[in-house]
Every structure is written in C-alpha cells, then in structure tokens.
Amino acid sequence: MKNILVAEDETAIREFVVINLERAGYNVTEADCGEAALETYEQKGGDFDIAILDIMMPKADGFAVLSFIRQRNDDTPVLFLTAKDSVSDRVKGLDSGANDYLIKPFSLEELCARLRSMLRTSHGQISNILSVGDLTLDCST
C-alpha cells in the first residue's frame, strides 16, 4: 500500500482528498498546516511515496515543506494542489522542485491519474539500468 502525505489547511478539501484516496487504496496521513506537515514528515522519517501539498498554508507554506523535503536529498514526488493558477505560479512551483502542479478546483479522477503517473516513474526518475543478479546493463551506454 502506498503512503501519501496530504497537507491542506482547508478542512473540506483535505477530508475530500483523504477519504477518496483511502477508498482508492492509499494509506493517507494528513496535516492541516505546513508546520504539521513538517512534523509529520520528520516523525515518519520521510516514509512517503508521494506528498500532496497546498501552497498557501499557515505556519509554513508548501514551498517551505518542499524545501525541507529536498534539503534531505529526498526525491519523494511532490504534487502542489493549489488555487494559485497563474503561469508564473506554476513555473515557480515546478522550478522549486515539485514534480507536478494541479490547480483548484480539480477533478478527483485527474488527481488520481497524476498520482499513478508519478508512482510509475519511481520517485520521479526513470532508470535505464537493468539488473539481474550480478549482471547490470546500462541501456543508455
């Protein structure tokens, strides 16, 4: 079962996302502000397969949480789920290290499809290295 951190300060949105992701078979840990997300992340030792972060949260915004994750050399895929919808907001979010960016209001089906896509790429990195026993083949070389 995949572990997902959902950090969202709007209760109705957070509960909607959590309930539906649990129904889809994910193990979800929720945080109601950026500070709680940081504490939860640290308590669980970063043991998340994906983090879904709102940008505009109290106590610490989504960028602070993302920075905290990336400073630990953690390549956990991060999806910003936010009302900030300008092109410059999206570019800033992706350039700051997020793997994806979804604007509110959003479709649950699209959110789940984006999560599945992020999980398929093995924490955002596709490898060209194949290994079996002692044999390793780098397809790019």
Side-chain angles (χ1 to χ4, degrees), residues 35-68:
E35 185 177 75
L38 293 169
E39 290 170 3
T40 300
Y41 182 88
E42 203 158 40
Q43 287 171 355
K44 295 215 175 205
D47 187 29
F48 292 101
D49 297 293
I50 292 181
I52 300 172
L53 308 175
D54 185 13
I55 290 178
M56 298 182 293
M57 293 185 289
K59 300 184 181 176
D61 66 13
F63 290 113
V65 177
L66 174 61
S67 177
F68 179 85

Side-chain angles (χ1 to χ4, degrees), residues 80-116:
F80 276 135
L81 182 61
T82 181
K84 296 181 72 67
D85 63 353
S86 73
V87 172
S88 62
D89 290 328
R90 287 178 272 171
V91 169
K92 180 181 177 185
L94 294 168
D95 282 349
S96 67
N99 300 76
D100 204 351
Y101 195 105
L102 186 58
I103 299 167
K104 297 173 191 173
F106 61 96
S107 156
L108 181 63
E109 292 81 11
E110 182 179 4
L111 173 62
C112 289
R114 287 171 183 258
L115 295 178
R116 290 190 301 271

Side-chain angles (χ1 to χ4, degrees), residues 53 71 132:
L53 308 175
Q71 286 174 359
V132 176

